[in-house]
Amino acid sequence: MTVLSLKSLTDAELAARVARDIPDGAYVNLGIGKPTHVSAHVPEGREVIYHSENGILGVGPTPPAGEEDVELIDASKRYVTPAPGAAYFEHADSFAMMRGGHIDIAVLGAYQVAETGDLANWATLDDKFPPAVGGAMDLVVGVPTILVMMRHVNRDGSPKLLKRCTYPLTGLGVVRRVYTDLAVLDVTPQGFRLVELTPGNSLDAVRAVTGADILT
Amino acid sequence: MDKSVADLAEAVAPITDGASVMIGGFGSSGIPFGLIDALLEQGATGLTVISNNAGAGETGIAKLLKEGRVARVICSYPRSPGSIWFEKRYEAGEIALEVVPQGTLAERIRAAGAGLGGFLTPTAYGTLLAEGKETRVIDGKGYVLEAPLHADFALLRAERGDPWGNLSFHATARNFNPVMAMASRHAVAEVRELSRAPLDPERVVTPGIFVQSVVEYGVRP
């Protein structure tokens, strides 16, 4: 259907697009899943300090094979190393960094984003599927810049960008910008506003797979 | 003072049926696997487990769930790759689940340990997880009143300990262990190395006053 005719970024291209907007010197929390790939694409010459809520500030690269430490992981449970200047801490301190406004940017995945900036990324409507909130609700209330990266539509073609979320909310009016495989959109008081289209896509084609208006 | 005990079995002996038990750890890191195995052997059942995750694979909390020892789980992220035993028990309606945002979980535990009656957090304001809870608007921002979370026992994992109960940690194995030590009536720490000499006071992360017993378990998972 319509989606097939659209030009879609790969996950790596999407991560690279988000990474372009992460400034030098930022303290950043990357959500589990796709957002973890952003760090690999931050342009050379920028120092970004990554916070992982399980108790490390200054998450460094994956260790070489054979040098993994099972007690040195990130929130995605991947083996990591400490970057220069890293610190370890306990959970209450870690969430003070998040809730207390000390982290500059968080990049999160989402099930749905509303034109009001409402975010749904922790529970579906399926009772059999146990909800798992983790640190998402703490991040969205405390981090001033919440960026979402996700596919523009669900596998069945239904929109993830909506006037109002239908899934339980993670936070209200918290999303600043949404990066999808099809477009980049800002959340404004008037609704979604186009920042850019993935080259090759027309605005009308992207509008057709979006469940809310897109302002230009 | 000597809070060290000879073995894991002695360390978990006081845990009774129906007890609430905080268990440190996040993912595979900082989990007291030795104490959990000893608790399984000891046989206590009908437990309330308070932990960030609800176990994965066939070890740790997953094993407690598999063996039917858990009546209730309070956690932030029960669903992880391999959390099959949690999912089985949950789908069968055999366990009660309370999902708490991770920072609220840590702070409720800390509040209990610090003698506070609760706290106001912006986390979850306006969401399903705040339903039925008291709220307050301060300077235009909404907050949810959260209660302290106590437990009868805490099972902790630390890198080093001394006979006074002082603990230091390794890398990201610290996570929930320090706050859980504070919030439980009886905290048991499994340490990779039990030093007979006192730890350097500058290196102590969890002061011994929060810890009731220490047992050496040299295995790093």
Side-chain angles (χ1 to χ4, degrees), chain A residues 111-165:
Chain A
Y111 296 143
Q112 297 176 332
V113 177
E115 63 181 4
T116 52
D118 292 356
L119 171 68
N121 76 347
W122 73 282
T124 64
L125 302 172
D126 183 351
D127 281 348
K128 274 221 190 121
F129 203 54
V133 66
M137 286 190 183
D138 301 284
L139 276 173
V140 298
V141 296
V143 178
T145 301
I146 299 293
L147 308 179
V148 164
M149 64 184 283
M150 63 177 195
R151 297 273 118 191
H152 202 92
V153 298
N154 290 307
R155 283 203 184 87
D156 65 4
S158 60
K160 290 162 71 88
L161 292 159
L162 303 166
K163 285 186 182 298
R164 295 291 178 272
C165 296

Side-chain angles (χ1 to χ4, degrees), chain A:
Chain A
M1 51 173 277
T2 343
V3 185
L4 298 175
S5 66
L6 284 157
K7 176 77 179 84
S8 177
L9 296 182
T10 64
D11 284 352
E13 289 167 338
L14 181 56
R17 176 60 192 89
V18 176
R20 260 170 50 199
D21 290 352
I22 308 287
D24 184 41
Y27 289 99
V28 176
N29 182 292
L30 300 176
I32 63 174
K34 285 188 177 68
T36 55
H37 301 296
V38 169
S39 60
H41 297 276
V42 168
E44 198 86 12
R46 293 184 200 172
E47 184 182 13
V48 176
I49 310 277
Y50 297 100
H51 169 268
S52 194
E53 58 265 35
N54 59 315
I56 174 170
L57 189 64
V59 178
T62 308
E67 288 176 35
E68 298 91 349
D69 178 343
V70 294
E71 295 192 321
L72 180 44
I73 59 172
D74 68 8
S76 295
K77 285 101 178 171
R78 298 179 314 165
Y79 298 121
V80 296
T81 51
Y88 301 126
F89 35 83
E90 51 94 3
H91 249 78
D93 285 349
S94 186
F95 280 77
M97 293 177 196
M98 295 153 76
R99 248 191 271 100
H102 307 283
I103 309 279
D104 300 309
I105 298 170
V107 183
L108 301 173
Y111 296 143
Q112 297 176 332
V113 177
E115 63 181 4
T116 52
D118 292 356
L119 171 68
N121 76 347
W122 73 282
T124 64
L125 302 172
D126 183 351
D127 281 348
K128 274 221 190 121
F129 203 54
V133 66
M137 286 190 183
D138 301 284
L139 276 173
V140 298
V141 296
V143 178
T145 301
I146 299 293
L147 308 179
V148 164
M149 64 184 283
M150 63 177 195
R151 297 273 118 191
H152 202 92
V153 298
N154 290 307
R155 283 203 184 87
D156 65 4
S158 60
K160 290 162 71 88
L161 292 159
L162 303 166
K163 285 186 182 298
R164 295 291 178 272
C165 296
T166 58
Y167 288 168
L169 296 182
T170 307
L172 286 73
V174 295
V175 177
R176 179 75 64 86
R177 181 174 271 196
V178 184
Y179 300 80
T180 80
D181 50 330
L182 306 183
V184 180
L185 304 170
D186 273 341
V187 177
T188 73
Q190 292 76 40
F192 293 121
R193 185 175 294 279
L194 183 69
V195 176
E196 66 191 49
L197 293 164
T198 296
N201 290 336
S202 74
L203 180 57
D204 282 347
V206 173
R207 275 183 170 142
V209 292
T210 305
D213 295 335
I214 299 177
L215 308 168
T216 53

Side-chain angles (χ1 to χ4, degrees), chain B:
Chain B
M1 185 173 283
D2 187 1
K3 295 185 179 182
S4 65
V5 295
D7 57 35
L8 296 164
E10 186 184 340
V12 300
I15 301 176
T16 49
D17 287 354
S20 53
V21 184
M22 289 176 173
I23 301 180
F26 180 107
S28 57
S29 185
I31 297 175
F33 286 107
L35 289 171
I36 295 171
D37 284 346
L39 178 58
L40 271 158
E41 291 227 349
Q42 189 256 32
T45 192
L47 302 171
T48 292
V49 169
I50 301 162
S51 194
N52 187 60
N53 305 100
E58 301 278 332
T59 61
I61 294 172
K63 216 193 270 182
L64 287 172
L65 286 159
K66 181 182 178 181
E67 299 299 328
R69 307 293 173 79
V70 182
R72 186 163 175 239
V73 172
I74 303 175
C75 73
S76 91
Y77 208 79
R79 195 180 66 228
S80 345
S83 59
I84 43 167
W85 285 105
F86 167 78
E87 285 160 43
K88 268 186 196 167
R89 297 291 177 236
Y90 179 80
E91 276 171 33
E94 292 163 350
I95 50 168
L97 172 67
E98 181 182 349
V99 172
V100 182
Q102 201 172 130
T104 299
L105 182 63
E107 199 63 20
R108 286 181 64 191
I109 295 168
R110 203 195 72 83
L116 301 176
F119 56 96
L120 291 163
T121 177
T123 302
Y125 183 81
T127 76
L128 198 61
L129 294 186
E131 271 180 16
K133 289 180 178 166
E134 225 175 287
T135 59
R136 190 87 61 88
V137 175
I138 301 170
D139 291 337
K141 189 168 175 176
Y143 294 84
V144 182
L145 180 64
E146 292 285 356
L149 183 57
H150 296 269
D152 300 319
F153 296 92
L155 304 183
L156 313 174
R157 163 81 182 174
E159 181 70 2
R160 300 188 79 207
D162 68 18
W164 291 265
N166 296 310
L167 304 176
S168 68
F169 297 88
H170 173 69
T172 54
R174 191 179 308 191
N175 54 61
F176 280 91
N177 286 295
V179 284
M180 287 180 169
M182 295 168 66
S184 59
R185 273 180 281 279
H186 187 110
V188 183
E190 142 191 332
V191 297
R192 195 176 66 80
E193 187 192 337
L194 178 59
S195 163
R196 297 319 305 184
L199 298 186
D200 175 355
E202 293 282 14
R203 302 283 171 123
V204 171
V205 174
T206 292
I209 192 169
F210 299 127
V211 177
Q212 279 62 49
S213 70
V214 186
V215 58
E216 190 168 68
Y217 182 68
V219 182
R220 179 172 286 168

